[in-house]
Amino acid sequence: MEKENERVIPASELIINEDGSVFHIHLRPDQLRDNIILVGDPGRVDMVASYFDSIDYDISSREFHAIAGTYKGKELLCISHGIGPDNIEIVVTELDALANVDFKTRRVLPHHRTLNMVRIGTSGSLQEELHIGDFVIADKGTGFDGILNFYAGRDMVCDLEFERLFCEHTQWDPTWAAPYTVDADRELVERIGRDDMVRGFTIAAVGFYAPQGRMVRLPLADPDLNEKIESFRFDGRPITNFEMESACLQGMAKLLGHKAMTVCCIIAERRATKANVDYKPSVKRLVETVLDRF
């Protein structure tokens, strides 16, 4: 079998722009930083970077906006990924390529470089004890998108018992993508998480509406799915919240040898049917907390 660092990665499989940057996020290998904050909204990158003591560069391409700089002596990169797990797959793959592929030879570098990635997001709670403004770490992220199932080795990084019990409890429809569950990196969770953050089990849905049990005009295939999710317990602990990216981020990172976690600010209480559209002050407080602990 061909060794990984002997394989030449074809131009069609890793597209490199004329300026030496990777295709979607438009960063060059020399612009990468080891500590990375990921956010969904391109505009939120400016908010995060407003805390930086200095700015090295500011690059935008499509929904991918990246600013690198220093914060209290720490070199950081903040990059947006847009909405959804498909975007996370692109961003993590291209960040890893910047770290571990020689762009001239198109071969994997002999020495692995590990990245630390913390996603700061927003989320809807699924339990009555979680309220708007609370911070929840995705101790486990369960993906409804199926992306990780396309990669060899997914079983080695997933909690297979959680997946089995979850599918049994929810009577998971076999026409949907098989859920996958991945733990956040323990070291990052210990560094970022304190008593002011809940360590939860997070559903990373594949969409914002029906996959999260929202009905606007189209009826739901399983109107009871959210009730089943809310009543599920693993080791006595419930599913805490919905978002859309934690599982793919944590799964891709583990497969590629990186460290990743997600922490979200609750902006909606699904059981109480309440939402807060003025959530920016709470998100700013979360950003400040993560910056100080990263």
Side-chain angles (χ1 to χ4, degrees):
M1 181 179 290
E2 184 181 36
K3 293 182 180 178
E4 186 183 40
N5 60 2
E6 292 177 352
R7 174 176 174 252
V8 176
I9 303 170
S12 60
E13 299 196 16
L14 177 63
I15 302 173
I16 299 172
N17 300 315
E18 290 184 357
D19 64 357
S21 64
V22 70
F23 185 57
H24 293 93
I25 63 176
H26 272 257
L27 297 182
R28 302 189 310 270
D30 63 288
Q31 295 174 313
L32 184 64
R33 303 292 184 267
D34 288 337
N35 295 319
I36 302 166
I37 292 175
L38 298 109
V39 295
D41 182 359
R44 196 172 294 159
V45 175
D46 291 307
M47 186 268 279
V48 174
S50 71
Y51 292 97
F52 290 179
D53 303 314
S54 61
I55 302 292
D56 297 328
Y57 62 78
D58 184 334
I59 296 171
S60 290
S61 172
R62 308 186 195 191
E63 60 264 61
F64 310 113
H65 180 199
I67 298 179
T70 58
Y71 176 79
K72 296 183 178 180
K74 297 177 286 191
E75 288 193 348
L76 294 173
L77 165 63
C78 182
I79 185 168
S80 63
H81 51 72
I83 297 175
D86 49 341
N87 281 6
I88 283 287
E89 187 216 22
I90 289 170
V91 171
V92 175
T93 299
E94 295 192 359
L95 288 172
D96 173 76
L98 294 172
N100 292 300
V101 175
D102 185 321
F103 275 28
K104 293 181 180 177
T105 66
R106 292 184 163 273
R107 287 186 167 90
V108 174
L109 292 165
H111 302 291
H112 184 270
R113 180 178 175 185
T114 301
L115 305 175
N116 304 306
M117 295 177 279
V118 177
R119 188 181 101 74
I120 299 173
T122 54
S123 180
S125 69
L126 287 168
Q127 302 298 331
E128 290 179 347
E129 62 270 21
L130 288 175
H131 303 291
I132 289 169
D134 288 347
F135 301 153
V136 180
I137 290 173
D139 224 23
K140 292 182 184 292
T142 295
F144 286 0
D145 53 270
I147 286 176
L148 217 66
N149 302 335
F150 288 89
Y151 287 93
R154 63 83 81 197
D155 285 3
M156 294 187 295
V157 301
C158 290
D159 188 328
L160 303 183
E161 182 67 1
F162 186 105
E163 294 170 7
R164 183 183 68 80
L165 294 173
F166 179 82
C167 288
E168 287 179 0
H169 181 84
T170 58
Q171 299 170 298
W172 192 257
D173 189 325
T175 66
W176 301 341
Y180 61 92
T181 299
V182 188
D183 289 354
D185 180 78
R186 294 273 71 81
E187 190 274 330
L188 275 183
V189 169
E190 291 300 322
R191 192 193 316 177
I192 303 296
R194 305 281 171 84
D195 291 342
D196 54 356
M197 294 182 184
V198 174
R199 299 191 183 188
F201 294 160
T202 298
I203 296 295
V206 69
F208 184 77
Y209 290 100
Q212 295 187 37
R214 290 184 172 96
M215 187 175 72
V216 180
R217 288 207 324 114
L218 293 174
L220 304 177
D222 183 355
D224 301 322
L225 180 60
N226 275 19
E227 289 185 14
K228 297 173 189 174
I229 292 171
E230 290 164 13
S231 63
F232 175 72
R233 297 293 183 273
F234 184 79
D235 289 340
R237 296 170 60 189
I239 302 287
T240 48
N241 58 312
F242 267 130
E243 49 86 75
M244 295 177 66
E245 294 90 8
S246 61
C248 189
L249 169 62
Q250 293 168 194
M252 293 291 296
K254 278 196 188 310
L255 286 174
L256 290 164
H258 303 298
K259 299 179 178 182
M261 63 166 283
T262 290
V263 57
C264 287
C265 177
I266 298 298
I267 66 168
E269 297 178 34
R270 297 299 304 279
R271 294 191 70 175
T273 65
K274 295 193 301 185
N276 176 25
V277 294
D278 185 24
Y279 55 82
K280 290 184 179 179
S282 295
V283 173
K284 285 190 71 172
R285 185 163 53 90
L286 177 56
V287 167
E288 292 165 0
T289 301
V290 170
L291 283 171
D292 284 334
R293 298 175 185 175
F294 200 180

